[in-house]
PDB file of all heavy atoms in Angstrom:
ATOM      1  N   THR A  30     -93.580  17.906 121.052  1.00 97.00           N
ATOM      2  CA  THR A  30     -92.248  17.926 121.666  1.00 97.00           C
ATOM      3  C   THR A  30     -91.817  16.487 121.916  1.00 97.00           C
ATOM      4  O   THR A  30     -91.166  15.899 121.067  1.00 97.00           O
ATOM      5  CB  THR A  30     -92.251  18.752 122.958  1.00 97.00           C
ATOM      6  OG1 THR A  30     -93.255  18.248 123.849  1.00 97.00           O
ATOM      7  CG2 THR A  30     -92.531  20.223 122.649  1.00 97.00           C
ATOM      8  N   THR A  32     -93.639  12.687 123.621  1.00 97.00           N
ATOM      9  CA  THR A  32     -94.831  12.072 124.180  1.00 97.00           C
ATOM     10  C   THR A  32     -94.788  12.124 125.714  1.00 97.00           C
ATOM     11  O   THR A  32     -95.788  12.394 126.361  1.00 97.00           O
ATOM     12  CB  THR A  32     -94.949  10.626 123.659  1.00 97.00           C
ATOM     13  OG1 THR A  32     -95.140  10.692 122.248  1.00 97.00           O
ATOM     14  CG2 THR A  32     -96.119   9.891 124.287  1.00 97.00           C
ATOM     15  N   THR A  33     -93.613  11.887 126.297  1.00 97.00           N
ATOM     16  CA  THR A  33     -93.481  11.902 127.754  1.00 97.00           C
ATOM     17  C   THR A  33     -93.836  13.281 128.321  1.00 97.00           C
ATOM     18  O   THR A  33     -94.609  13.396 129.279  1.00 97.00           O
ATOM     19  CB  THR A  33     -92.058  11.517 128.178  1.00 97.00           C
ATOM     20  OG1 THR A  33     -91.740  10.256 127.588  1.00 97.00           O
ATOM     21  CG2 THR A  33     -91.932  11.420 129.686  1.00 97.00           C
ATOM     22  N   GLY A 291     -89.447  -4.269 131.353  1.00 95.00           N
ATOM     23  CA  GLY A 291     -89.856  -4.417 129.957  1.00 95.00           C
ATOM     24  C   GLY A 291     -91.177  -3.747 129.673  1.00 95.00           C
ATOM     25  O   GLY A 291     -91.879  -3.323 130.582  1.00 95.00           O
ATOM     26  N   ARG A 294     -96.347  -5.143 124.636  1.00 97.00           N
ATOM     27  CA  ARG A 294     -96.880  -4.563 123.385  1.00 97.00           C
ATOM     28  C   ARG A 294     -97.991  -5.443 122.856  1.00 97.00           C
ATOM     29  O   ARG A 294     -98.062  -6.647 123.171  1.00 97.00           O
ATOM     30  CB  ARG A 294     -95.779  -4.444 122.320  1.00 97.00           C
ATOM     31  CG  ARG A 294     -94.528  -3.675 122.753  1.00 97.00           C
ATOM     32  CD  ARG A 294     -94.740  -2.176 122.726  1.00 97.00           C
ATOM     33  NE  ARG A 294     -93.494  -1.459 123.044  1.00 97.00           N
ATOM     34  CZ  ARG A 294     -93.420  -0.132 123.178  1.00 97.00           C
ATOM     35  NH1 ARG A 294     -94.495   0.611 123.016  1.00 97.00           N
ATOM     36  NH2 ARG A 294     -92.272   0.453 123.471  1.00 97.00           N
ATOM     37  N   THR A 314     -97.858  -0.020 126.766  1.00 97.00           N
ATOM     38  CA  THR A 314     -96.973   1.127 126.628  1.00 97.00           C
ATOM     39  C   THR A 314     -96.100   1.232 127.870  1.00 97.00           C
ATOM     40  O   THR A 314     -96.192   0.393 128.779  1.00 97.00           O
ATOM     41  CB  THR A 314     -97.785   2.419 126.412  1.00 97.00           C
ATOM     42  OG1 THR A 314     -96.916   3.475 125.988  1.00 97.00           O
ATOM     43  CG2 THR A 314     -98.473   2.874 127.698  1.00 97.00           C
TER      44      THR A 314
ATOM     45  N   ASN B  41     -88.189   9.684 119.338  1.00 93.00           N
ATOM     46  CA  ASN B  41     -88.825  10.791 120.077  1.00 93.00           C
ATOM     47  C   ASN B  41     -88.448  10.823 121.550  1.00 93.00           C
ATOM     48  O   ASN B  41     -87.879  11.777 122.024  1.00 93.00           O
ATOM     49  CB  ASN B  41     -90.351  10.750 119.911  1.00 93.00           C
ATOM     50  CG  ASN B  41     -91.043  11.897 120.625  1.00 93.00           C
ATOM     51  OD1 ASN B  41     -91.900  11.684 121.470  1.00 93.00           O
ATOM     52  ND2 ASN B  41     -90.667  13.113 120.309  1.00 93.00           N
ATOM     53  N   ASP B  42     -88.768   9.769 122.305  1.00 94.00           N
ATOM     54  CA  ASP B  42     -88.371   9.763 123.705  1.00 94.00           C
ATOM     55  C   ASP B  42     -88.066   8.322 124.116  1.00 94.00           C
ATOM     56  O   ASP B  42     -88.951   7.504 124.278  1.00 94.00           O
ATOM     57  CB  ASP B  42     -89.422  10.386 124.625  1.00 94.00           C
ATOM     58  CG  ASP B  42     -90.818   9.857 124.375  1.00 94.00           C
ATOM     59  OD1 ASP B  42     -91.010   9.084 123.408  1.00 94.00           O
ATOM     60  OD2 ASP B  42     -91.715  10.205 125.154  1.00 94.00           O
ATOM     61  N   TYR B  45     -86.846   2.993 127.415  1.00 96.00           N
ATOM     62  CA  TYR B  45     -86.419   1.666 127.871  1.00 96.00           C
ATOM     63  C   TYR B  45     -85.384   1.102 126.907  1.00 96.00           C
ATOM     64  O   TYR B  45     -85.553   1.196 125.697  1.00 96.00           O
ATOM     65  CB  TYR B  45     -87.617   0.721 127.929  1.00 96.00           C
ATOM     66  CG  TYR B  45     -87.401  -0.469 128.811  1.00 96.00           C
ATOM     67  CD1 TYR B  45     -87.595  -0.360 130.194  1.00 96.00           C
ATOM     68  CD2 TYR B  45     -86.975  -1.698 128.290  1.00 96.00           C
ATOM     69  CE1 TYR B  45     -87.386  -1.441 131.017  1.00 96.00           C
ATOM     70  CE2 TYR B  45     -86.774  -2.780 129.125  1.00 96.00           C
ATOM     71  CZ  TYR B  45     -86.982  -2.653 130.481  1.00 96.00           C
ATOM     72  OH  TYR B  45     -86.767  -3.721 131.303  1.00 96.00           O
ATOM     73  N   GLU B  65     -86.546   1.391 123.136  1.00 96.00           N
ATOM     74  CA  GLU B  65     -87.987   1.588 123.008  1.00 96.00           C
ATOM     75  C   GLU B  65     -88.393   2.993 123.405  1.00 96.00           C
ATOM     76  O   GLU B  65     -87.888   3.562 124.360  1.00 96.00           O
ATOM     77  CB  GLU B  65     -88.742   0.585 123.900  1.00 96.00           C
ATOM     78  CG  GLU B  65     -88.440  -0.852 123.517  1.00 96.00           C
ATOM     79  CD  GLU B  65     -89.326  -1.855 124.241  1.00 96.00           C
ATOM     80  OE1 GLU B  65     -90.541  -1.669 124.242  1.00 96.00           O
ATOM     81  OE2 GLU B  65     -88.759  -2.831 124.780  1.00 96.00           O
ATOM     82  N   SER B  66     -89.342   3.528 122.663  1.00 96.00           N
ATOM     83  CA  SER B  66     -90.014   4.768 123.064  1.00 96.00           C
ATOM     84  C   SER B  66     -91.374   4.357 123.622  1.00 96.00           C
ATOM     85  O   SER B  66     -91.703   3.175 123.679  1.00 96.00           O
ATOM     86  CB  SER B  66     -90.190   5.686 121.857  1.00 96.00           C
ATOM     87  OG  SER B  66     -91.092   5.108 120.948  1.00 96.00           O
ATOM     88  N   ILE B  67     -92.182   5.349 124.013  1.00 94.00           N
ATOM     89  CA  ILE B  67     -93.512   5.029 124.513  1.00 94.00           C
ATOM     90  C   ILE B  67     -94.276   4.239 123.460  1.00 94.00           C
ATOM     91  O   ILE B  67     -94.950   3.261 123.753  1.00 94.00           O
ATOM     92  CB  ILE B  67     -94.270   6.315 124.929  1.00 94.00           C
ATOM     93  CG1 ILE B  67     -93.642   6.837 126.220  1.00 94.00           C
ATOM     94  CG2 ILE B  67     -95.755   6.068 125.084  1.00 94.00           C
ATOM     95  CD1 ILE B  67     -94.391   7.950 126.901  1.00 94.00           C
TER      96      ILE B  67
END
Side-chain angles (χ1 to χ4, degrees):
Chain A
T30 55
T32 296
T33 305
R294 305 283 185 184
T314 193
Chain B
N41 181 237
D42 49 354
Y45 200 82
E65 300 188 49
S66 67
I67 287 190

